[in-house]
Amino acid sequence: LTFAQQSAENIIIKENKEELKTKYVCDVCGYVYDFNIGDDVHGIKSTTSFKDLPEDWKCPICGVSKKQFTKIN
């Protein structure tokens, strides 16, 4: 690998590690989606990142779309 390729690979790994720690909160009801927990209501297993949730995924508490969630740390 070239230096540029290694640098790009390291950035991707760092971003993925950050995503693992990131939580998202529903702006309507306060439900928190946590990568480490997933969403049993919709059959989403733990280790599924928020960005990998299906586009039609809804908040398990109030039913709003992913677009109404805010990233938190």
Side-chain angles (χ1 to χ4, degrees):
L1 293 175
T2 68
F3 178 75
Q5 289 171 322
Q6 287 175 338
S7 295
E9 199 170 279
N10 288 338
I11 289 170
I12 291 168
I13 290 169
K14 183 178 179 184
E15 288 174 353
N16 287 342
K17 285 182 181 178
E18 287 301 312
E19 182 66 26
L20 302 184
K21 294 185 265 181
T22 303
K23 297 177 184 176
Y24 291 79
V25 65
C26 177
D27 297 332
V28 175
C29 72
Y31 169 80
V32 176
Y33 180 81
D34 184 339
F35 166 91
N36 296 300
I37 297 171
D39 172 14
D40 289 340
V41 172
H42 294 106
I44 306 295
K45 63 182 179 175
S46 64
T47 71
T48 302
S49 70
F50 190 81
K51 67 181 180 182
D52 290 336
L53 291 172
E55 284 304 312
D56 62 349
W57 180 84
K58 305 278 188 216
C59 175
I61 304 299
C62 70
V64 299
S65 72
K66 285 173 56 173
K67 294 176 182 172
Q68 294 187 351
F69 277 72
T70 302
K71 182 191 262 189
I72 58 173
N73 286 343

